[in-house]
Amino acid sequence: MITQTQPLLDWSPEAVVFDCDGTLMDNERHWQDARNRAFAAFGLTPPPGFAERAKGVHYADCGRLMAEETHKPELAADLTRALLEHFLALVADDPATMPGAGEFVRLLSGRLPLAVASNCPLKVVEESLGRAGLRRHFQHIVVPSGTAPAAGGVHPAADGPQIVRPKPWPDVYATAARLCGVPPQAALAVEDSLTGVESACRAGLRVLGVGPRPAGEGAGRADLWVPTLRSPELLAWVRARVPGRTEASGRD
């Protein structure tokens, strides 16, 4: 519950960009399970505190981190491959939204351009949101890639291909704001991890943190933290500060 006046709640964004795992979809637990299964497949033990350090990290970077922290750098590619395979199997069997995510997205839909900026593979984001009935509310989905393809709402720059680096680089959020047609400082990022908060701040967006507030100084970079997206004060803010408009276009 929000217990004090917050400057963010006196502001009206022109677009909202959501993280996916841990913010919209309850997939962070699948990543944790997948990491544990990948470690076990190679007879390795997760280092203390690894789950928190890996939260929000791109899966390829996570695979390398798993190898480095277990002193098995030669297993980086194998651990990355195993991590993604386990995660895809888990999320396909059990897609679920985070508390309040569906209501919050549907309330914003039609009022503002909405986008997703995620470190997950595009297929995972598309399928997860589709199963949850939320895909049609988002005009753009931005994920890391070597050369940004036209699919999924990620478009090449007018003067050539655009490189989109994973969080904590600012690329996914900067690209999402541009595709929504607003300057970064006019857009709100919704995040659950320190990695994502750093990415959004570096891109110039204001940040709403959701879920348990992480330990560490990085959490203070978010403008506001709420326990869930179903916070009554948060929903009242949307109704009061975000003007309605015609129904947003999109697809499932």
Side-chain angles (χ1 to χ4, degrees):
M1 184 175 181
I2 302 170
T3 58
Q4 60 185 37
T5 301
Q6 295 287 346
L8 182 70
L9 302 184
D10 293 327
W11 173 68
S12 298
E14 296 178 20
V16 180
V17 184
F18 290 83
D19 170 56
C20 186
D21 286 0
T23 300
L24 291 173
M25 302 302 301
D26 189 11
N27 286 345
E28 187 56 42
R29 60 196 171 91
H30 294 323
W31 280 118
Q32 173 62 11
D33 197 0
R35 288 190 290 266
N36 288 339
R37 293 186 185 194
F39 276 128
F42 292 90
L44 303 173
T45 300
F50 187 82
E52 188 60 32
R53 291 191 295 279
K55 188 175 182 180
V57 175
H58 187 265
Y59 72 90
D61 293 329
C62 185
R64 287 193 291 271
L65 189 63
M66 292 168 71
E68 291 170 3
E69 292 204 13
T70 54
H71 309 290
K72 297 288 185 179
E74 69 279 7
L75 293 179
D78 292 332
L79 283 166
T80 299
R81 184 165 48 252
L83 172 64
L84 184 57
E85 288 174 354
H86 285 302
F87 174 76
L88 291 174
L90 289 164
V91 76
D93 289 340
D94 184 23
T97 57
M98 293 298 292
E103 181 182 1
F104 190 63
V105 168
R106 286 188 288 269
L107 184 59
L108 285 170
S109 183
R111 296 172 184 258
L112 295 173
L114 302 182
V116 173
S118 175
N119 267 354
C120 275
L122 180 60
K123 178 182 177 182
V124 172
V125 179
E126 292 268 10
E127 292 186 359
S128 295
L129 295 177
R131 290 193 186 99
L134 297 178
R135 177 61 184 91
R136 66 186 180 88
H137 298 290
F138 296 99
Q139 288 75 51
H140 306 287
I141 293 178
V142 183
V143 299
S145 59
T147 300
V154 185
H155 305 286
D159 57 352
Q162 180 186 8
I163 302 302
V164 180
R165 297 166 297 182
K167 304 171 189 178
W169 293 97
D171 300 25
V172 288
Y173 277 109
T175 301
R178 175 176 60 81
L179 291 172
C180 286
V182 305
Q185 63 269 23
L188 175 68
V190 185
E191 266 290 350
D192 74 305
S193 72
L194 294 181
T195 299
V197 170
E198 181 179 354
S199 172
C201 288
R202 290 172 68 182
L205 283 72
R206 299 187 74 169
V207 182
L208 172 67
V210 61
R213 184 185 174 103
E217 297 180 359
R221 300 184 68 188
D223 294 86
L224 173 66
W225 281 92
V226 295
T228 73
L229 291 175
R230 62 164 54 114
S231 161
E233 293 90 341
L234 194 60
L235 300 178
W237 167 70
V238 174
R239 296 186 179 100
R241 303 293 300 183
V242 181
R245 65 173 195 173
T246 58
E247 186 176 355
S249 60
R251 69 180 190 275
D252 268 322

